[in-house]
Structure formats: structure tokens, C-alpha cells
Amino acid sequence: MLSRSTALLDPADALTRSLPTNPIVMIPARLAATRLPGKPLAAIGGTPMIVHVWRRAVAAAVGPVVVACGDLAIAAAVEAAGGRAVLTDPALPTGSDRIHAAITALDPGRAHDAVINVQGDMPMLDPAAIRLAFEALADPETDIATLAAVIDDPAALARDHVNKVVAGFADPARPARALYFSKLPVPWGEGPHYEHVGLYAYRRDALERFVALPQGVLERRERLEQLRALEAGMRISVSLIEAARLGVQVDTPADLERARRLMQQL
């Protein structure tokens, strides 16, 4: 039976108490990118891309920011700008593995209760986007929180390197549960489609569980690691954000040139 004090709790207060209190932001980076090798150090406005991302993450004011990198050259660029970097095994297969290795080395006592994984190829990311993803962890049922944006360009919808997420946004202002991720334009039928933005906020124990899971059947088929979490029954929440606040995600030489042009206009 609920006590009187428990019964009178405001649900909003309960959610607030579920929000992790000591998060850390980690930016995984490595030079051996498939489509654009060396991209963390690609100059945009005279500054390495990884430094732009680090500055955006610091501006979010969520917690300390660390670049988890597999290469000394990346660490040197970050430290020259005043940032902090930790070296990880360059053979680690994914960004999630890289941030897990970094947080395990930096914080063996587990003082940080959440880890926000910011991709190192989003040099114009609105810092508020990082806060939005983190705040979705206020829902105690959410293991991992991420972002999505409406796809307005039919050409982008058809591209297989534009990852899509299926989520039923009954209220676009509130997070929705991720039901599936794909490289194809799903779901079928009339209505919006959403591009998945690869920025993740993990509860610390969720990150540890995720990296320990075996690769999933659907993950191998779609080549999308977030499906591993869904196959294992983990809950991923998705918050909508305006595409303009994401800037350019740099995957190709054309993306890099676009980012350079847009940065000149700021």
C-alpha cells in the first residue's frame, strides 16, 4: 500500500528524479573513416572538424567533454585547442565500443551515471540538441535516448546512407519509442519519415549492457548497431529536432565542402 507521501508525489517530480545527475559527454573519433579518411582533422574554417564538435559539446553545458580517439593526431588537435582526449584501441569496431572503453578507463568508480555519445562529424550541431537527448533520460523506462529529424527531401529519403527511424510521435514535442531503424524509407504509407540522428544518451548501466550484447540478426542484416538494443528488449526514446539545428553530418567529400561553405556564412 502506498504511503500518503508517496501517493501525493507529482509525476513530473518522479521523472525529474530519474534524470541522471552526473553525465559526461564523449566524442568518439578515428582517422580510418570509410567514405572520408582522416575526416576528424579535416579543416573547416581553418579549424579541425573534431575541434568544432568539441566546442559545440562544451557549449551544451551538460557535463565534462572528452574526445575518445584511436589516433594520437586527433588527441593532439583536441589538446591544442584546450580540450581533453583519451586514447582508445584503434581496432575497436564502433563508436559505442570506443566510448565504453574510454569511460571505463577514466571512471572506474562509476561516478558518471550517463554517457552522451556525440558523433565527431557534426561540426555545426546546435548544443541544445545534446541537452534534448539527455533530458529524455528523465523517463525511467528509457535506456537510451536519441534524436530524429523529418525528412523533407525525397532524394534523401531514397539514400541508403540516410538512416531512418520508425517511431509514432503522437505529440511531436515529446519523445516517442523507437520501433525500428532501417536504411530503407519505412514505414509504408502516407505520413512523415524521420532521419535518425546518431547522437545517443546512455544510462551508464545501459551502455555497459549494450556493448556486452552479441551482435543481433537484424543488426547484421541492416548494418545498424542500434537494432542490437531493440532486439535485446532495450528501450530507445527518440526526440524530434529541426533539421536546421543539426547542420551538416559529414560523411562524404561533398558533405565536407557544404560544411565549409555554410561555416563561411556564419
Side-chain angles (χ1 to χ4, degrees):
M1 183 175 179
L2 293 177
S3 68
R4 179 176 173 80
S5 60
T6 303
L8 292 177
L9 285 177
D10 185 333
D13 290 342
L15 286 178
T16 300
R17 282 195 299 277
S18 297
L19 189 67
T21 58
N22 190 21
I24 186 171
V25 180
M26 307 203 90
I27 307 170
R30 64 188 184 115
L31 292 178
T34 303
R35 293 190 183 96
L36 188 59
K39 72 178 178 178
L41 299 181
I44 301 175
T47 299
M49 178 160 56
I50 190 65
V51 174
H52 284 290
V53 178
W54 168 76
R55 288 173 176 165
R56 299 277 172 153
V58 170
V62 171
V65 179
V66 178
V67 175
C69 51
D71 308 272
L72 280 168
I74 298 174
V78 171
E79 290 168 355
R84 185 180 183 189
V86 59
L87 285 169
T88 55
D89 184 347
L92 289 171
T94 70
S96 300
D97 293 307
R98 198 169 302 286
I99 65 168
H100 177 256
I103 192 64
T104 300
L106 285 176
D107 182 31
R110 303 181 86 256
H112 292 292
D113 54 358
V115 184
I116 298 98
N117 178 347
V118 175
Q119 300 297 326
D121 56 7
M122 301 180 74
M124 303 176 72
L125 178 68
D126 184 344
I130 300 171
R131 294 194 295 271
L132 182 66
F134 171 63
E135 288 164 1
L137 294 180
D139 181 346
E141 295 185 1
T142 295
D143 298 300
I144 306 167
T146 189
L147 302 174
V150 173
I151 300 174
D152 293 320
D153 180 2
L157 185 62
R159 294 187 191 113
D160 62 8
H161 71 269
V162 176
N163 298 328
K164 292 82 178 177
V165 58
V166 179
F169 290 98
D171 178 357
R174 298 178 63 84
R177 185 170 187 170
L179 301 176
Y180 195 67
F181 296 86
S182 181
K183 295 180 181 297
L184 286 175
V186 289
W188 181 83
E190 294 296 322
H193 290 86
Y194 305 104
E195 178 180 359
H196 175 229
V197 180
L199 185 158
Y200 301 94
Y202 294 90
R203 296 189 189 278
R204 179 74 177 267
D205 57 353
L207 175 62
E208 292 167 349
R209 179 185 173 197
F210 175 74
V211 298
L213 288 169
Q215 199 174 42
V217 174
L218 294 173
E219 176 189 7
R220 290 194 296 272
R221 183 168 179 173
E222 291 264 18
R223 289 183 291 174
L224 295 173
E225 67 170 333
Q226 56 270 40
L227 288 171
R228 186 191 322 169
L230 294 187
E231 288 184 80
M234 299 179 75
R235 184 179 182 123
I236 303 177
S237 289
V238 188
S239 296
L240 279 180
I241 190 168
E242 298 90 347
R245 294 170 64 189
L246 303 172
V248 180
Q249 184 159 1
V250 179
D251 288 318
T252 66
D255 294 333
L256 178 59
E257 289 308 311
R258 181 170 169 240
R260 285 168 171 163
R261 290 195 303 272
L262 290 173
M263 195 71 77
Q264 287 178 343
Q265 297 170 14
L266 295 179

